[in-house]
Amino acid sequence: MREEGATMGDYKTAFRPIGSEALTFDGKTQYRSIPSSSEINFARDQDFTVAVQVCPDPVQPSQQNVDPGMVEKWDAYGRYPFALRYYARGAEQGKIYAGRYDETNFPTVMSKSLLNDRKFHHVAFVRRTQNGKGVLELYVDGALEASTPDTTAGDTRNGSALYLGCRGLRGGTGMNYFAGQIKDLQIYGAALSPAEIAGLARPQPQASGKPNLLLIVADDLGADALRINDATGEVTVQLDGPNGTTGPKRLPNLEKLVKHGMHFSRAWAQPVCSATRGSLFTGMQPWRSGVGYPDPGGNNTLVMNPRSGAAVRSLAEVLKGADYRCGMFGKWHMGKPDAERPPTKPAGGKKNDPKRTAWDWGWERFEGILEGGFRVVAPKYGYPQATMPLGKLASVNPEAKDPNDPREVAFAKKRDAVRTRTTEYLRRVAPEFVERQPDIQFYVWEKCYEDDPTGVMLYDRPPTERTHMYATRDQVYSAKEWIAQMLGSPWCVALTLTTPHDPFHVPPRESYTIRFANPEKPTVQEMFVAMVESMDFYIGQLLSSPEPEIQEQLKNTVIVFIGDNGTQDEDPDRPGVLLDSDEQDKATPHIGAVHVPMIIADGGSLLAGTPCYLAGAAIRGSSGDLVHILDIFRTCADIAGASAREAVDSVSLKPYLRGGSVEKREFNFSQQFGYHKMQGGRTTNKFALVSDGRYLLSCARSKFNDSDVTDEYTYTLYELVPHETIVGALREKKIESFLTDATHRAVAQRLYDEMKRHHLDGGDEKEQRGPLPFPPLFAYRYVRLLAKSEVNGGPWTSAADFQVLVNGKPLDRSAWTVTVDSEETAGENGRGQNAIDGTSASIWHTEWYSRCPAHPHWLSVDLKSPQAISGFKYLPRQNQANGRIADYEFQVSSDGQSWVTLCAGRFPDGTAEQTVDVQLANERSIRGTVAVKATFRNNGSVPLDYVWVDYAGAEKKYGTIAPRSQVVQDTYETHVWRLKDGARTVATYVPTTEPNPVFSYGNSP
């Protein structure tokens, strides 16, 4: 219940005291009473709407008065906020009137229409503030029939019950009984707009060619925790934590979606929340949209003109062009207003510039939070970010430095105002977890509300002003109420839930089944499972809504469920506490950060047994093809019949759902990028991932330097294999040898070619630069010449000169620094730095005067920045053979600690400078691999060039394949080949040892 006198009300959230029940009254003794509550007890100056479907009997048996009561909050004594009555006799017979009373003034409005035709009519009584004054309006079947000033001057609230079918009497009996039917009673703590009233009054829509769209996004829920078994159809939540397994718990409502839709088992999102939302709602990769990481570590604000130069349109703006109405309920996380905004939208409906909030970006209704979660709630009550049990709502904050500080006084007043309501609510919904509730931030969060039809814009409203304190319930029920008003209009609802994101807590008792081993102290794993169960429960409350106006619309709805990124690994409020034993999930450069559950279901199949959109083959279907959360954008646009030309990174999944030729993704790409340094000098991980389904290549920042431009990065290659114990999940096998193994080097090159189509970040506004390119794949900051033997068998090593080559040319050595394992400084100047001083007269020589350490010896160079090394030059000492290197290895490193050997060999004895081309060495190493004959087929309508990619990444054209033709090419098993249409690569192939492999591009003729 809301507190008496609450100012916000649940704007546009209906109180439905009889639900979907249709009540019949005999006009003699039958009535229904509803206890008084703040949902129905409106003050003199409070706007409201009372909407109801009524079907009066033409003959009214009651003779007590001429106006039997249909809906009124009055027990025949004193004032009342509203009453709706039917004229049974006299000159106005068949009409209705509505009014309110303050014990002196009694303003009323009467219908023009007669409602005595034995049909249901929609009636709405509205109190609206216009130009600072109250107006009463009466609507019949969506049309305004009467209005009058609200002349009440005193209080209109009372302690009476709400009576349906009569005028009440104290003591619980009634008088002035009404004969007829009443249904769909909805009472709002706000004045609905004429358009919204007309929407409520419209008849139930018939299924049309434009399905509705319901997008349900779970927060921090990866494929490792939410497990979908395609063989059995079971959907469970389970955590394999460091101290054992929690779960599994079945999720019956998500199982229904799997049963009535298609599961995409290889779906990717972005690694973190805001980057995913930027992709989902623009159809663009983060580097293109500019949204790469949550604030304060990075940019999470969607802008119209990002540094990439992309033209950004939101999903809501695109769907609006196809006459869809769009509402978002839950988490926005793509920007906040730069300054405090007024409680109404700008005059003339003009959008704010710059765009910041959901309404700015085309969502006509938004209810939820603009931030990324509820860990920001504690500071709003005067505490640092941390867990917030009920006890922290105390008047006195023992952590406050000065209790008399004006800010702390305001916080104390705020805590007092919320404490009673929160305690009452928890006692009702979670009686076992009131004082021992681990965290109440999911209950005492502050709500934002934006509504285009009414122009109401409210931000950070206290929890005492809403019916549903618990976040997940509020988000789902807000969506339900809005959907109920959408009759006759195609719509898109983005239900962007905030669960199971931390802070971890115990949800309302109605919504989970897990039993806590120690109720005094539930574990993080137990609370996580309870939160996911709660999410499933409230999704079920929407999907199984008894209201016919909601059910009928859901029967014509395509439903998408997806996680926004991998499961959260660590509880930030409990340092060192891990959710599961795998620490490579959300916000890490690993598959666990991006592999998420994704289901697309058909509401018609779910609720009516007949699909409204999906083809029969897609029902209870599954696909292991690569798909991305980006693809939801163009899929929704295709379903709606809208143009999505700006969504350049999105691929429509419509063919999977409807049948037809499928444009399969060859690669998935995801990334996150934060600022170089955030406040306090902290840094943010910056990385990107690309995969072809079998292999995954990551590029991750490994060293911070002066700026993003000079930071250093490391590439890592993995093979993806099915997880041994988690159904549907994947595990990485790191390929340590991909730098030197020819097969895996070619795989890495192929993935890198796809990666470099994108950019490392979205640019930087402060630095006025655009998005950065990816560094070279085979680039290293450190090199090491390892000497394993000397030409004469001695223990020494020497070098007159050493150079490193990039593209065959020596690098500038002026900034280099050298370290060696040994250098002679007593018997001669044999320092390591002599090897790069540019003269052959000085040499590096290992110790010999006082001791002679044995091989191997090494000379290591810090190049000061990563370089794409192509080779090196070694000049032996010129005056004698002593120390000349025989057997060697040339090694590289990204950090100066872990070394990889690029090539090895033996130098001849002599004074000639030795030049080693690493790429040629690699090419020579592959000559022993299997030779094959590969067939390249061009099934398309335009000629294609076929080119070989050499070991430096350069392309060498071999010929052209005419349309509907093929060529047979001699090659080796790991060579990389591309088919190109001009400058555009249309396909990439890596032959294997399979005899005579055949590669086809385009649909077979």
Side-chain angles (χ1 to χ4, degrees), residues 80 86 559 950:
Y80 53 86
Y86 178 74
I559 305 166
D950 71 13

Side-chain angles (χ1 to χ4, degrees), residues 588-604:
T588 68
H590 298 281
I591 186 64
V594 295
H595 188 201
V596 294
M598 179 174 171
I599 309 164
I600 302 182
D602 189 290

Side-chain angles (χ1 to χ4, degrees), residues 621-876:
S622 64
S623 172
D625 291 347
L626 296 179
V627 298
H628 204 288
I629 200 167
L630 286 156
D631 301 335
I632 293 173
F633 190 105
R634 194 172 288 274
T635 303
C636 289
D638 277 2
I639 292 173
S643 170
R645 61 185 180 277
E646 295 91 350
V648 294
D649 297 313
S650 180
V651 176
S652 177
L653 304 179
K654 181 179 177 180
Y656 289 96
L657 309 178
R658 300 280 284 178
S661 178
V662 173
E663 180 186 355
K664 293 184 180 181
R665 279 187 172 275
E666 189 176 1
F667 302 97
N668 261 347
F669 172 88
S670 291
Q671 66 182 154
Q672 73 171 45
F673 47 85
Y675 297 133
H676 184 259
K677 285 188 178 180
M678 36 178 166
Q679 190 175 7
R682 292 187 299 128
T683 52
T684 303
N685 200 2
K686 182 175 182 178
F687 61 83
L689 309 169
V690 65
S691 175
D692 61 1
R694 179 179 177 184
Y695 294 98
L696 181 147
L697 180 69
S698 75
C699 174
R701 178 157 49 190
S702 54
K703 187 173 183 179
F704 287 85
N705 290 322
D706 295 332
S707 70
D708 282 300
V709 178
T710 59
D711 287 343
E712 298 174 25
Y713 296 82
T714 298
Y715 288 93
T716 309
L717 183 67
Y718 302 93
E719 184 180 7
L720 300 178
V721 297
H723 200 284
E724 296 88 341
T725 59
I726 303 177
V727 62
L730 297 171
R731 183 176 62 80
E732 296 169 341
K733 290 175 61 178
K734 186 176 181 180
I735 300 174
E736 302 283 359
S737 60
F738 86 93
L739 295 175
T740 55
D741 176 80
T743 300
H744 291 132
R745 186 181 177 94
V747 168
Q749 183 67 54
R750 175 173 177 260
L751 294 174
Y752 174 74
D753 289 342
E754 171 62 21
M755 183 176 280
K756 69 181 182 181
R757 289 183 52 247
H758 304 278
H759 285 78
L760 187 59
D761 63 18
D764 190 284
E765 195 68 32
K766 293 181 180 179
E767 297 179 4
Q768 290 294 296
R769 64 165 177 82
L772 292 175
F774 279 94
L777 173 60
F778 302 112
Y780 308 94
R781 174 171 172 170
Y782 302 90
V783 299
R784 185 163 74 176
L785 180 61
L786 185 72
K788 302 170 70 176
S789 66
E790 190 230 31
V791 292
N792 293 325
W796 310 285
T797 294
S798 64
D801 197 59
F802 178 74
Q803 299 185 63
V804 176
L805 309 177
V806 172
N807 294 324
K809 297 179 180 179
L811 283 175
D812 176 17
R813 299 184 287 188
S814 59
W816 291 6
T817 56
V818 171
T819 56
V820 293
D821 73 305
S822 173
E823 58 184 4
E824 180 58 48
T825 60
E828 67 173 316
N829 177 11
R831 297 184 182 278
Q833 198 71 20
N834 294 341
I836 62 167
D837 64 3
T839 173
S840 61
S842 61
I843 65 170
W844 163 53
H845 200 294
T846 58
E847 295 169 86
W848 56 265
Y849 185 79
S850 60
R851 70 188 193 101
C852 297
H855 286 99
H857 297 298
W858 51 262
L859 178 143
S860 175
V861 178
D862 179 357
L863 305 177
K864 299 303 181 180
S865 63
Q867 302 291 333
I869 298 163
S870 63
F872 69 94
K873 290 186 176 183
Y874 162 68
L875 180 67

Side-chain angles (χ1 to χ4, degrees), residues 968-998:
V968 178
Q969 174 65 44
D970 290 325
T971 185
Y972 290 92
E973 60 173 311
T974 55
H975 281 194
V976 179
W977 291 85
R978 293 176 182 151
L979 297 184
K980 306 197 69 169
D981 179 3
R984 183 172 69 96
T985 299
V986 298
T988 303
Y989 305 111
V990 181
T992 65
T993 54
E994 174 187 348
N996 304 319
V998 177

Side-chain angles (χ1 to χ4, degrees), residues 791-792 798 843 845 876-884 909-911:
V791 292
N792 293 325
S798 64
I843 65 170
H845 200 294
R877 67 182 300 176
Q878 300 294 295
N879 59 348
Q880 60 172 292
N882 188 24
R884 290 175 184 167
D909 185 12
T911 60

